[in-house]
Amino acid sequence: MNLKNIILEKEGKIALVTLNRPKALNALNSETLQELDIVIEDIEKDSSICAVIITGAGKSFVAGADISEMKDMNVIEGRKFGILGNKVFRRLENLEKPVIAALNGFTLGGGCELAMSCDIRIASTKAKFGQPEVGLGITPGFGGTQRLARLVGMGAAKELIYTAKMIDATEAYRIGLVNKVFEPETLIEEAKALATTIANNAPVAVKLSKVAINKGIQTDIDTALSYESEVFGTCFSTEDQKEGMDAFLNKKSLVGNFKNK
Ligand code: DAK
């Protein structure tokens, strides 16, 4: 895999994806989005990987879509760029493995939208968040108008989007945009600990939980509960369910030793 702007590392059951274009604060250009697509595909196909961490190199997670690339786009190019971004973010959101965003610094615009396409967000005390698009004459275009309101509620989402102001990690935690905040030097270590805890549980059950939550949140409660019953039933076709319950009844635990089958 020949990547210029992303580093992909694998440690046991965990994949660590580092956006690595620090000179431009890891701004998302078409090339980086295409590389992210390739990396997600690789992780999708690698059955040894059970959890993913995404972070940024340098002082930024992602400072948004690449303004220098977007500046002179015509309508067709803008649409193409938008389709690519939405495709990649949706692929990440639907990846059947849990994804943790470890937000080390600026998490702005398309960067905040990328973080919201992940399952869990943890941040460094140095991280800054915002949707600055309206200050540039555009609306959020990689899902920000939809995912932010679902995550933090309409009031907080509208305030962030309409004002285009940045908030710090404490405020992001207060409104529920991030789950936890850590000192910068411990962020990746904490992300790996969280990823390991998740990866040690039954991977199929984690995957099916993600599917049920993501699908269910889009619909009414009765339909959502039918998704839940469906995935719950599917668990009983797995070896992990049989062996996990058997281990419990024999006063043992399978945590860390599930087969992913
Ligand atoms: N794009 C391109 N380059 C960027 C960038 C960005 N988003 N953000 C920073 N850089 C570059 C800077 O231009 C600078 O480059 P040089 O001058 O060194 O060549 C370098 O990174 C370092 O930045 P600064 O010198 O500005 O660093 P500071 O620490 O002083 O300031 C900052 C950091 C994050 C506050 C500042 O860089 C900043 O405000 N950056 C822009 C943040 C922003 O507005 N981001 C939102 C972008 S809009 C679409 C879908 C989605 C989107 C668009 C279309 N479609 C559906 C079509 C998404 C839009 C966005 O994300």
Side-chain angles (χ1 to χ4, degrees):
M1 208 184 310
N2 192 14
L3 302 172
K4 263 174 67 187
N5 305 324
I6 298 184
I7 301 167
L8 172 61
E9 295 163 288
K10 294 180 183 176
E11 292 174 25
K13 298 176 187 173
I14 298 166
L16 178 64
V17 178
T18 305
L19 295 149
N20 186 34
R21 231 186 130 219
K23 277 190 185 157
L25 304 186
N26 305 323
L28 297 172
N29 57 4
S30 305
E31 187 178 58
T32 306
L33 286 169
Q34 272 148 5
E35 289 188 7
L36 191 53
D37 198 36
I38 293 169
V39 164
I40 298 169
E41 183 167 355
D42 178 279
I43 294 170
E44 258 167 13
K45 289 181 179 159
D46 187 341
S47 60
S48 71
I49 296 299
C50 299
V52 184
I53 299 168
I54 301 192
T55 193
K59 67 175 183 178
S60 177
F61 172 63
V62 170
D66 191 313
I67 299 170
S68 53
E69 185 182 357
M70 280 190 299
K71 185 175 77 67
D72 296 320
M73 279 180 185
N74 60 30
V75 177
I76 306 286
E77 289 162 341
R79 201 171 287 155
K80 211 170 141 195
F81 185 64
I83 289 168
L84 173 65
N86 276 314
K87 180 187 119 186
V88 176
F89 286 21
R90 195 80 178 114
R91 186 169 195 178
L92 185 66
E93 192 169 40
N94 288 331
L95 179 66
E96 291 188 337
K97 306 183 186 209
V99 184
I100 298 164
L103 306 165
N104 52 301
F106 293 113
T107 301
L108 302 174
C112 193
E113 292 168 311
L114 175 62
M116 290 189 289
S117 303
C118 300
D119 297 297
I120 297 172
R121 285 150 294 283
I122 62 172
S124 137
T125 50
K126 287 194 177 157
K128 295 260 188 292
F129 302 82
Q131 295 288 160
E133 288 88 345
V134 298
L136 294 165
I138 55 175
T139 54
F142 289 152
T145 59
Q146 303 309 310
R147 291 193 182 99
L148 189 57
R150 282 169 169 77
L151 201 57
V152 303
M154 280 230 280
K158 285 177 176 173
E159 186 178 338
L160 267 175
I161 291 172
Y162 297 172
T163 63
K165 279 194 177 162
M166 274 193 235
I167 57 170
D168 63 16
T170 307
E171 178 64 359
Y173 175 72
R174 193 188 69 77
I175 65 173
L177 182 54
V178 301
N179 293 32
K180 287 196 173 85
V181 180
F182 298 103
E183 290 304 320
E185 54 279 7
T186 64
L187 181 69
I188 293 301
E189 196 184 304
E190 294 286 354
K192 285 182 182 172
L194 179 58
T196 303
T197 301
I198 296 171
N200 280 340
N201 287 318
V204 180
V206 172
K207 170 183 100 173
L208 292 173
S209 300
K210 175 169 178 171
V211 170
I213 294 168
N214 282 4
K215 276 181 82 179
I217 204 82
Q218 314 291 344
T219 187
D220 65 279
I221 186 76
D222 290 320
T223 311
L225 288 171
S226 72
Y227 293 146
E228 188 181 75
S229 304
E230 196 180 311
V231 299
F232 183 75
T234 305
C235 294
F236 290 81
S237 68
T238 67
E239 288 181 31
D240 286 348
Q241 176 270 327
K242 300 281 175 265
E243 292 179 6
M245 291 192 175
D246 192 53
F248 174 80
L249 294 173
N250 286 298
K251 313 286 182 213
K252 292 181 187 149
S253 167
L254 218 61
V255 168
N257 293 303
F258 283 102
K259 286 185 181 155
N260 195 8
K261 282 195 208 163

